[in-house]
Amino acid sequence: MKNELKKLEKAALAALEQVKSSADLDAYHTKYLGRKGELTGLLRGLKDLSPEDKKTFGKATNELKIELEGKFKMKQNEFEHAEISKSLKDEWIDLSAPGTTTKRGHIHPLYQVQEEVERIFQQMGFSVVDGPEIESEYYNFEGLNIPADHPARDMQDTFFIDKKADKDEGRLVLRTHTSPNQIRAMKKYGVPLRIIVPGRVFRNEATDASHEHTFDQVEGLMIDKDISIAHLKGVMLEFLQRLFKKEMKIRFRPGYFPFVEPGLELDMSCIFCDGKGCKVCKKTGWIEFMGCGMTHPHVLRAGGIDPDEYQGWAFGFGLTRLVMMRYGIDDIRHLTSGDLRFAEQF
Ligand code: FA5
């Protein structure tokens, strides 16, 4: 037995020296240390020995097992390290090489300004609401005190859709302004009411540098008891000063919109020359900003509100024109051109 152990030790150590690859190492393990390997064979043979020999050779065989397994592990580690350093070499990364940059998009200038407008009105207690772009003739016109045969219909050239609206609301149209939401909001939320409605509107117009067929407006509506034009003046002055971050002036002129009475146009002091007179304001010191006025009693009634108890005002301004003014954009068509050379400037 002693000889056999010596022989096995010698042979196993010599064989381990010859191992050159992980495949060799696996074969080596099977031959000497595996379940049917030579060392396991010797261990199994111990049971036939006398108790005394069992003790002596049992210990020696176990020591040999520990020695061979230890050397096997060391060899195995050597191979693993070699493999890792090889793969590190293959996957070498040049940390000084310039990275690949991903292009990030950003919010379109129109909606950057819209978000700002919404934030300012929200700070003043207004809610932001939404309405459909495809409207009924009733909400776009009749409900707003513009009957079918009224010449005021010609103020807004309309895209009609070849389909009737629900109920008795006439044809479907692409809304020509955000004003239909005055009635929708009154019906939906009741009074008191303080809302703005930003949104896209459509008119059958020939386009030029300042006119588009598709543009954005912001509607505003405030209804409560004892509401007057003084509130409109206060809200709009505060809004414009917060938006342009400077002291400004506003003025009212008479204006005509069938859904307000009295109807007004609001001008603001020219933001380019602060009212001194320049090319933009055509030396007047004023820039036309929006239509507005006290909500007509017919419109309040259409919204289910009693005009003897409640009053209010409404306004509507062109968000697209405001954006043009804000950034000095000289042609409205750039905004919807989809031209990245334009959009990337904001
Ligand atoms: C209206 O649309 C009214 N609904 C506004 C209103 C609301 C008055 C509430 C009173 C009470 P108007 O047609 O003037 O009004 O349009 C409002 C704004 O939209 C204009 O001041 C202008 O800034 C913008 N606008 C009108 N037509 C165009 C167009 N073709 N392209 C770009 N902006 C336009």
Side-chain angles (χ1 to χ4, degrees), residues 144 155-156 176-180 182 201 203 205-206 210-220 256-257 259-260 263-265 288-293 313-322 324 332:
L144 289 169
M155 288 164 79
Q156 300 176 357
T176 55
H177 51 174
T178 41
S179 300
Q182 293 183 22
V201 303
R203 291 190 194 174
E205 289 198 27
S210 53
H211 292 83
E212 256 291 12
H213 47 72
T214 303
F215 57 98
D216 282 65
Q217 288 188 337
V218 177
E219 193 78 12
Y256 175 66
F257 303 94
F259 33 95
V260 281
L264 305 162
E265 293 278 354
E288 280 183 30
F289 184 60
M290 65 174 198
C292 52
W313 42 253
F315 66 75
F317 66 80
L319 182 68
T320 319
R321 295 246 177 102
L322 177 65
M324 290 172 73
I332 194 168

Side-chain angles (χ1 to χ4, degrees), residues 158-205:
T158 311
F159 289 113
F160 286 91
I161 292 175
D162 200 10
K163 212 170 169 194
K164 279 212 172 340
D166 282 350
K167 301 177 201 145
D168 223 3
E169 295 175 358
R171 285 170 291 177
L172 284 177
V173 298
L174 293 186
R175 67 177 176 195
T176 55
H177 51 174
T178 41
S179 300
N181 294 294
Q182 293 183 22
I183 305 174
R184 287 190 177 276
M186 285 186 235
K187 280 187 165 174
K188 192 165 175 190
Y189 305 108
V191 276
L193 200 56
R194 241 190 277 184
I195 54 153
I196 60 160
V197 193
R200 188 166 294 174
V201 303
F202 312 85
R203 291 190 194 174
N204 189 4
E205 289 198 27

